[in-house]
Each structure stands twice: as C-alpha cells, then as structure tokens.
Amino acid sequence: MKAANYRGAKQIGIGESVAIPPGPGEVRLSVAYCGICGTDMHIYHGHMDQRVSLPQTIGHEVSAVVSELGDGVETVQVGDKVAVRPLMFGEAVSFDKGHAHVGKNLKFIGIDLPGGMQSSWTVPAYTLHKLPEGMPLSHGALVEPAAVAVHDVRLGKVRAGETCVVIGGGPIGLLIALVAKVKGARVVLSEVNESRLEFATKLGIEGVNPMRQNVVEKVSELTDGAMADCVFEVSGSAPGAEIMTELPNVRGRIVMVAIHPEPRPVNLFKFFWSEIQLIGVRLYEECDFDEAIELMGEGKLPLDQLITEIAPIEAVQATFEKIDANPDGIKYLIQCG
Ligand SMILES: [Zn+2]
C-alpha cells in the first residue's frame, strides 16, 4: 500500500497509502494505473507550490477497481473497473450557469485534494465512470486525457470534412488530433520535436515542424489556400499564440487549450477581419468522459502506442526525472496496485 507524495521541488517520495473508509456517497478504490500529466510535471517542478499542500499525493489520470462502497452508493459495485473524473464541485452557485467543471467552488482532485497515485483512494461516487469489461486497466488510465481532447474537439465544433491545425504535439495535442480525425476532419500538427512529429505521422497525422518550415505557407499549400476551419493552440508558447491567428479561414475557430502562464501579444485585427472566434476550453464534463470511453472501447484511438512506459510506483521519482530528460516520450503510467 504505497503512495507517491510530492514533497517539494523535484522530490516525489514514497509514503504509505492509508485506506480511508468511504463515507456516505463515497467509494474506496484499488488504483491500478495513474498517468503522469503535464500538470503533475508543473507540480514536480515546484511551480504550483502555492496551491499544493505538502506532502501531497498527486495524480489524477486513474484507472481502478471498486473495492468498498459507502452508504447510498448504487451507481457502481465492488469489482467494477472504473476511470475517475477528478472534479469536486462543492456548493452549486447560480452564476456558474450549470458549468460546475469551471465553476466558483471547483476543486481538482490530485492538486487541491489528495490524488490517485496510490494503492487505495477514496473519492465521491459521482466521479466514477465504468470501463467496458474488455478494456485493459492500462488503457483506462488514458480516459482522463482522452476526455480533455473530446471536450476540446466538441467545444471547437469540429465537423467532418473540416481542416484542423493542432499547434503542439504533446499527449493532449496528439489526442486532440486523433479525436478530430475520428470526427472526419483533416488534421495538420505543428510540433517542434522531430521524433514526436514522426510518431504523429505513423498515426496518420500530417506534420509540420515550425523550426524548419513556415507553418502558414505549409497549411496554405496543403489546403490550396483554404486554410484551417479550426485551430487548437496546445503549445502554451509565445510563437504558438502569434501564429494561431494566421491559420484560420473566414469564421474559423481558435480553441485555446494551453495554459499560457503570462499574457501574450496576439493579432486582434484578425478577429475583426475574418470574424474569427476564440473558444476557451478547460477540463471536461460528464459527457466527455462517456464519449472518450466509447471511442476507446470501439478501438478508435491507438492507446497502446500512446503509452511510452509503465513503471512501478517505487520508481516514481526516476520516472519524473526520465520525463524531464526525454521530451520524445508520450504517456508514462505508474502502476499503483
Ligand atoms: Zn491531466
């Protein structure tokens, strides 16, 4: 029964995972796998120390098996395989307008509250989504990032036959590209890392490296001047914010996925001239988890290929160090059970 605890910049220690008996409406899980996310890397680097109390069990990309039910829980049974939507909504307020996933009292489980990178984890039953019987639990740990991509593509209103450009080919950028392709869109990925580009090409995504090619010219060439109907900014970089307005066509959409840590210069004239729309996206809603599980269950996402490595929880510190040293990797999972 182990837990991966963040103990300060670049230190993830192994502690005890204490089995907390589930209260009313709660469920205790035996965690199988927990993916390492960009957010976990931010925590690891000490960038979120104001928000994370020490020591904190981190992790929010979890697959698990239900092992104990609190009073009144009827939505799952002991033994069910589940993924966790790690959001605690708190008290509902009217001005959230029903969007509690970005609402006033939202707490993110795994940042604001203890996370799932541990053997035993107690969470509200409403956070659980059942996995199909045949789905490997390792794939189940990818439901959370896949739900991010489903949410972003849904709010970007991507339709079949459209052209999308994804700026930034990390795990989320790749998943957005893959989900947009499932929707019938043509996808061009802009990514500076050659091996990630190569990987994307193997998955059937057209790639362009902005360090070697002019992305605007390349997209123009690929689309006979039509440019993109929808652009996803996933890089979080100043060049990404600069180029994003050069890519959409008339009434095109820009979907802001990345967390930009500071204000960026953006060419606002483009919004006026071509009636471009900017759409902010964050996290996911219940329906996004359902759709992600459906797509994954139908085999529409190349999940095995997205998993770079599965490491035992004892190796969590070494795995974080490895991710830092290897920008080519896609998704690393920690085996918690
Ligand atoms: Zn994440």
Side-chain angles (χ1 to χ4, degrees):
M1 295 278 281
K2 294 195 166 86
N5 298 329
Y6 172 70
R7 290 183 179 153
K10 299 203 172 180
Q11 291 172 59
I12 310 271
I14 299 294
E16 261 313 288
S17 175
V18 180
I20 299 168
E26 290 183 337
V27 170
R28 192 171 68 78
L29 303 173
S30 293
V31 177
Y33 298 95
C34 182
I36 298 176
C37 170
T39 307
D40 299 315
M41 294 310 293
H42 280 302
I43 294 173
Y44 171 71
H45 285 122
H47 297 158
M48 295 174 73
D49 281 359
Q50 294 116 312
R51 200 169 151 190
V52 179
S53 52
L54 297 183
Q56 177 75 289
T57 306
I58 56 170
H60 59 268
E61 300 184 356
V62 168
S63 63
V65 177
V66 172
S67 51
E68 202 181 336
L69 303 179
D71 281 347
V73 174
E74 287 168 356
T75 44
V76 290
Q77 292 181 333
V78 170
D80 280 350
K81 294 198 276 185
V82 294
V84 179
R85 184 162 41 97
L87 307 181
M88 190 89 92
F89 297 123
E91 197 190 327
V93 292
S94 63
F95 49 83
D96 283 350
K97 298 180 274 189
H99 307 299
H101 72 291
V102 286
K104 178 174 183 276
N105 292 320
L106 176 79
K107 284 197 171 14
F108 192 85
I109 309 176
I111 302 175
D112 307 307
L113 298 162
M117 211 173 277
Q118 55 178 328
S119 315
S120 178
W121 193 31
T122 300
V123 295
Y126 68 76
T127 63
L128 303 181
H129 290 257
K130 274 197 236 181
L131 298 174
E133 240 343 281
M135 186 186 287
L137 282 162
S138 57
H139 291 185
L142 295 176
V143 169
E144 196 265 2
V148 171
V150 166
H151 182 75
D152 301 350
V153 170
R154 177 166 70 85
L155 268 62
K157 302 185 185 75
V158 174
R159 292 182 296 266
E162 287 194 325
T163 297
C164 297
V165 175
V166 178
I167 305 170
I172 295 295
L174 277 172
L175 279 163
I176 289 170
L178 290 164
V179 171
K181 258 173 69 78
V182 171
K183 298 281 170 193
R186 177 186 191 181
V187 183
V188 181
L189 176 76
S190 169
E191 166 59 42
V192 295
N193 181 307
E194 274 300 322
S195 55
R196 278 189 169 172
L197 263 187
E198 232 170 83
F199 179 75
T201 310
K202 279 187 208 143
L203 300 177
I205 300 158
E206 293 169 270
V208 49
N209 186 337
M211 307 298 272
R212 293 195 293 113
Q213 263 178 308
N214 181 312
V215 176
V216 178
E217 280 172 17
K218 179 72 181 176
V219 171
S220 175
E221 189 190 307
L222 288 170
T223 59
D224 290 328
M227 303 305 287
D229 303 295
C230 191
V231 175
F232 294 87
E233 200 324 84
V234 199
S235 75
S237 68
E242 197 185 315
I243 207 171
M244 68 181 188
T245 53
E246 305 299 316
L247 296 165
N249 51 25
V250 166
R251 287 263 172 110
R253 288 98 60 200
I254 298 172
V255 182
M256 184 50 64
V257 181
I259 304 168
H260 284 266
E262 56 198 86
R264 306 287 192 197
V266 170
N267 186 354
L268 294 174
F269 176 79
K270 288 284 186 174
F271 290 89
F272 158 76
W273 192 251
S274 305
E275 297 192 344
I276 292 171
Q277 298 170 26
L278 180 64
I279 301 162
V281 290
R282 185 178 152 212
L283 299 169
Y284 26 63
E285 294 163 84
E286 193 172 353
C287 61
D288 300 313
F289 260 69
D290 291 338
E291 189 179 343
I293 291 171
E294 202 179 302
L295 292 180
M296 291 165 66
E298 290 167 355
K300 290 187 172 154
L301 300 174
L303 302 168
D304 276 325
Q305 294 178 69
L306 295 171
I307 299 171
T308 307
E309 193 182 311
I310 298 176
I313 194 164
E314 292 79 6
V316 66
Q317 171 82 31
T319 307
F320 274 77
E321 286 169 11
K322 190 183 282 182
I323 295 170
D324 250 356
N326 173 22
D328 299 354
I330 306 295
K331 185 53 80 179
Y332 291 78
L333 304 184
I334 298 297
Q335 188 164 12
C336 299

